[in-house]
């Protein structure tokens, strides 16, 4: 049996307004703040994690808090994040709900094989709510302002934009063991889209590659995405991914211990940053489940610097 990624692990985006970010994703989107920590490579910045009630791998939408200019949109970038809900009826509820919040949406329509609803957050972060019946076994957050049956279940699919498929496809299929399951012709403002699946696929295990040869290079910034991470279940399989990427000559970070998971970073040929991350040990490694996200959590290797780190962070409320 070949080594297989299990789906999307998390997606990390960029915000320049951390306090407003927390308000939007907890109070408007109804997600649980499951970890309030810092960027381990830049401890002046928050790293905020939102997810479901039990902090499931595959449900983590995360943000680095950086004082940067807005993203300049283009190609060579992750361009849209899928958020799964249970059904088309849920999409109709979300369309009405977002309208009540003065948040513009697109129309509910099928896009690249899934029925979805497009919208953006207050910084222009691009999302698509996707009707995914397979996500129904989710873990709703009882303190959410969004009704339990309407809440976001998880991530996927994730859309990236590249100018030419020929460089990206070998990375996805030969190195990462994904397989192309379908393609969709270009539409209004949307390039030809190729859908690559991990394992049995489905929304939570799909990467959509949109081909846009005429767009300029994107420039990362607030409202943009920093990287996407893919799931591997444990350290044993993670070690196999380290060996596999090395065997193909892929330049990687090597193993990076993040305490909540172990990571391997590398870029596909168009410069988009990918990560492979373990499902465990998870976010209860240093906080009880019922109190996740209530205080600033620091991994053990940063705990000795807590006072200085806290002094450099701005309040979130």
């Amino acid at each position: 049996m070949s080594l297989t990624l299990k789906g999307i692990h998390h997606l990390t985006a960029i915000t320049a307004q951390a306090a407003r970010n927390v308000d939007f994703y907890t109070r408007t989107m109804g997600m649980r703040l499951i970890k309030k920590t810092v960027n381990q490579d830049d401890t002046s910045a928050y790293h905020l994690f939102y997810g479901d009630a039990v902090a499931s791998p595959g449900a983590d939408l995360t943000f680095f808090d950086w004082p940067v200019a807005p993203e300049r949109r283009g190609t060579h970038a992750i361009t849209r994040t899928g958020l799964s809900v249970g059904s088309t009826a849920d999409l109709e509820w979300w369309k009405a709900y977002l309208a009540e919040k003065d948040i513009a949406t697109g129309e509910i329509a099928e896009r690249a094989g899934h029925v979805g609803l497009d919208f953006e957050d207050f910084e222009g972060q691009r999302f698509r709510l996707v009707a995914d019946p397979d996500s129904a076994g989710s873990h709703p957050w009882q303190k959410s302002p969004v009704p339990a049956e309407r809440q976001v279940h998880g991530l996927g699919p994730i859309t990236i934009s590249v100018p030419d498929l020929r460089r990206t496809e070998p990375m996805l299929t030969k190195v990462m063991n994904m397989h192309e399951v379908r393609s969709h012709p270009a539409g209004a403002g949307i390039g030809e889209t190729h859908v690559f699946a991990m394992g049995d696929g489905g929304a939570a295990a799909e990467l959509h590659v949109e081909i846009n040869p005429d767009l300029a290079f994107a420039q990362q910034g607030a409202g943009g995405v920093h990287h996407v991470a893919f799931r591997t279940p444990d350290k044993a399989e993670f070690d196999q991914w380290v060996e596999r990427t090395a065997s193909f000559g892929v330049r990687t970070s090597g193993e990076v211990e993040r305490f909540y998971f172990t990571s391997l970073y590398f870029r596909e040929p168009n410069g988009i940053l990918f990560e492979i991350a373990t499902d465990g040990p998870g976010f209860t490694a240093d906080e009880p489940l019922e109190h996740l996200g209530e205080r600033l959590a620091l991994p053990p290797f940063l705990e000795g610097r807590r006072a200085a780190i806290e002094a450099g962070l701005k309040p979130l409320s």
Side-chain angles (χ1 to χ4, degrees):
M1 180 177 175
S2 63
L3 189 62
T4 305
L5 295 165
K6 309 307 181 196
I8 307 300
H9 185 281
H10 67 267
L11 178 130
T12 297
I14 302 168
T15 181
Q17 302 180 56
R20 191 174 176 190
N21 184 273
V22 171
D23 183 77
F24 181 83
Y25 287 96
T26 59
R27 295 170 64 88
T28 299
M29 295 305 298
M31 302 176 78
R32 184 182 185 186
L33 179 61
I34 56 174
K35 189 63 63 176
K36 180 169 58 176
T37 185
V38 294
N39 181 327
Q40 294 177 13
D41 303 315
D42 173 13
T43 58
S44 69
Y46 283 108
H47 193 179
L48 304 169
F49 291 76
Y50 305 96
D52 63 10
V54 298
S56 304
D60 301 340
L61 176 64
T62 96
F63 287 85
F64 292 147
D65 164 42
W66 284 329
V68 292
E71 175 199 34
R72 186 181 70 200
R73 292 181 177 180
T75 191
H76 296 263
I78 300 166
T79 54
R80 193 171 294 275
T81 303
L83 301 173
S84 63
V85 295
S87 67
T88 302
D90 294 325
L91 296 178
E92 293 168 351
W93 182 91
W94 274 96
K95 185 172 177 62
Y97 171 76
L98 291 172
E100 291 174 0
K101 303 287 187 182
D102 294 322
I103 299 169
T105 68
E107 296 302 318
I108 297 171
E110 183 173 334
R111 299 175 180 87
H114 299 285
V115 178
L117 174 68
D118 290 356
F119 73 99
E120 298 178 7
D121 79 355
F122 61 93
E123 291 179 293
Q125 189 71 234
R126 289 171 281 181
F127 292 102
R128 176 169 298 147
L129 287 161
V130 172
D132 177 21
D134 292 337
S135 72
S138 63
H139 304 279
W141 175 227
Q142 296 306 315
K143 296 181 182 179
S144 172
V146 173
E149 67 275 14
R150 305 296 191 188
Q151 290 177 28
V152 170
H153 298 159
L155 299 179
I158 305 300
T159 301
I160 69 174
S161 173
V162 300
D164 190 325
L165 184 64
R166 288 174 294 181
R167 299 182 66 204
T168 300
E169 189 272 342
M171 172 67 79
L172 301 182
T173 59
K174 298 185 185 309
V175 179
M176 300 176 71
N177 279 338
M178 298 186 194
H179 53 285
E180 185 171 356
V181 292
R182 60 185 184 274
S183 62
H184 300 266
I190 299 174
E192 180 184 33
T193 302
H194 296 258
V195 177
F196 293 84
M198 293 158 267
D200 294 332
E206 286 181 0
L207 184 69
H208 291 197
V209 183
E210 196 175 294
I211 312 305
N212 293 299
D214 299 325
L215 293 181
F217 273 73
Q219 182 173 315
Q220 279 190 344
V225 175
H226 188 266
H227 68 270
V228 61
F230 305 97
R231 293 176 62 185
T232 195
D234 52 39
K235 187 60 164 56
E237 286 202 15
F238 176 88
D239 290 342
Q240 293 180 59
W241 282 110
V242 173
E243 294 176 4
R244 182 173 181 83
T245 51
S247 73
F248 280 91
V250 177
R251 294 180 60 184
T252 76
S253 63
E255 179 179 330
V256 179
E257 181 52 61
R258 296 299 190 193
F259 185 61
Y260 307 112
F261 43 83
T262 304
S263 298
L264 178 73
Y265 299 90
F266 55 96
R267 295 186 184 274
E268 59 81 46
N270 288 281
I272 299 171
L273 185 60
F274 287 170
E275 175 185 353
I276 294 174
T278 58
D279 280 356
F283 294 111
T284 57
D286 59 353
E287 294 180 301
L289 180 63
E290 60 270 24
H291 294 298
L292 291 179
E294 294 178 4
R295 63 186 291 271
L296 182 70
L298 296 176
F301 49 86
L302 292 178
E303 189 60 52
R305 297 167 53 195
R306 175 175 288 274
I309 289 171
E310 288 182 336
L313 296 170
K314 50 187 177 287
L316 290 177
S317 59

